[in-house]
Amino acid sequence: MSRRILIAGNWKMNKTSAEGAELVNGIRSALTDCCADKLPEVLVCPPFLDIATAVCAAKGSAVEVGAQNVHWASSGAYTGECSTAMLLDAGCTHVIVGHSERRQYFGETDATVNKRAKAAVDAGLVAVVCVGETLEERESGATTKVVGRQVREAFSGFSANDMSKVVVAYEPVWAIGTGKVATDEQAQEVHAFIRKTLGEMFGSECGDSVRILYGGSMKPGNAAGLLKQKDIDGGLIGGASLKADDFVAIIKAAMA
Ligand code: PGA
């Protein structure tokens, strides 16, 4: 089963619109000399307010644009939220759901992750659904218990067909923004476990076809080793996605 590599940038709360456009321009111009059929899928996820200019800057290139969150309702009194229709209208193809920072600081739960991801998929967006254990959970031996629960609850009520619009991102919380990357083996082990869990839920064909990204201090220097792992199908990159040179170096590592 061949799964196309996806290199996704999560800008978090960084960049004004002008800075975001400059970053997209830097990425697209660095990719012009790359052979199109060797390129991985390339995605940037700016803050909501930067999406329109990023879409404009990416037009006609291989760079796709996604959001960092979405609400499940189609409209209504949900201050601070955006709907799937708004994201599609702005030109988004993807949306990150359930990032650990949302879970940690904004009360995101497995149940709300499930609702957001389902709404995204139903609307035709690709949902990049994040899971991952904290340091305390890893050290107490609870990694597979926690990640297994997050996966089962995030995709509860999904069909195998829904899963064709899903990408999972394994992001160990202890590796996010800390410079402490999971080793290739640690990451591969959890990726294989997530794939097995998806296989149990939706059948092995579906388990084999869903892409699973690694996230957490992925950088130009460690990307190649991680991306070589059998069950690692790309990266969700925070810090290193904010500089065109670093992000492009990771994209090139995926092409090697
Ligand atoms: P990081 O962030 O690459 O800065 O560790 C990854 C993420 O949170 O998606």
Side-chain angles (χ1 to χ4, degrees):
M1 168 70 62
S2 91
R3 297 179 295 263
R4 188 170 179 214
I5 297 280
L6 169 60
I7 301 296
N10 174 11
W11 296 2
K12 308 192 180 184
M13 196 174 72
N14 292 289
K15 307 283 179 194
T16 61
S17 291
E19 290 164 349
E22 194 187 326
L23 178 52
V24 171
N25 283 326
I27 298 165
R28 69 176 291 172
S29 61
L31 295 180
T32 46
D33 58 348
C34 294
C35 172
D37 33 287
K38 277 209 174 153
L39 259 191
E41 190 175 1
V42 176
L43 171 71
V44 295
C45 298
F48 287 132
L49 278 174
D50 298 355
I51 288 172
T53 42
V55 167
C56 198
K59 208 166 182 194
S61 78
V63 180
E64 297 172 305
V65 180
Q68 298 174 16
N69 191 21
V70 70
H71 198 266
W72 54 86
S74 55
S75 64
Y78 301 104
T79 302
E81 297 280 332
C82 281
S83 69
T84 55
M86 292 169 190
L87 299 190
L88 289 165
D89 182 54
C92 288
T93 48
H94 295 64
V95 60
I96 298 171
V97 174
H99 190 278
S100 68
E101 286 147 18
R102 305 262 358 136
R103 295 180 191 252
Q104 198 177 344
Y105 306 132
F106 303 102
E108 193 79 70
T109 64
D110 290 330
T112 55
V113 169
N114 174 258
K115 290 207 233 184
R116 294 182 200 277
K118 188 72 170 77
V121 162
D122 285 347
L125 289 157
V126 174
V128 180
V129 178
C130 304
V131 298
E133 81 288 0
T134 62
L135 183 60
E136 201 185 5
E137 289 161 346
R138 174 162 282 266
E139 287 178 343
S140 67
T143 299
T144 51
K145 183 170 159 245
V146 170
V147 173
R149 186 207 72 223
Q150 290 172 334
V151 169
R152 286 184 187 279
E153 298 201 9
F155 306 123
S156 160
F158 279 51
S159 65
N161 190 39
D162 291 335
M163 294 306 288
S164 67
K165 298 289 282 180
V166 163
V167 173
V168 178
Y170 168 58
E171 300 207 302
V173 179
W174 48 272
I176 296 177
T178 58
K180 235 199 231 175
V181 66
T183 64
D184 300 347
E185 296 72 26
Q186 277 174 325
Q188 165 57 28
E189 194 181 13
V190 182
H191 280 237
F193 168 76
I194 292 171
R195 196 171 304 293
K196 182 173 133 271
T197 305
L198 293 172
E200 285 164 10
M201 293 176 75
F202 302 104
S204 60
E205 198 180 311
C206 177
D208 285 345
S209 62
V210 173
R211 289 178 293 177
I212 308 174
L213 313 183
Y214 170 80
S217 298
M218 190 185 264
K219 307 267 183 263
N222 59 31
L226 288 159
L227 294 169
K228 256 193 222 116
Q229 302 304 307
K230 181 169 157 275
D231 291 298
I232 300 186
D233 309 311
L236 180 57
I237 299 129
S241 74
L242 298 175
K243 282 196 195 142
D245 287 355
D246 287 348
F247 192 58
V248 168
I250 295 174
I251 295 168
K252 291 196 170 162
M255 294 167 75

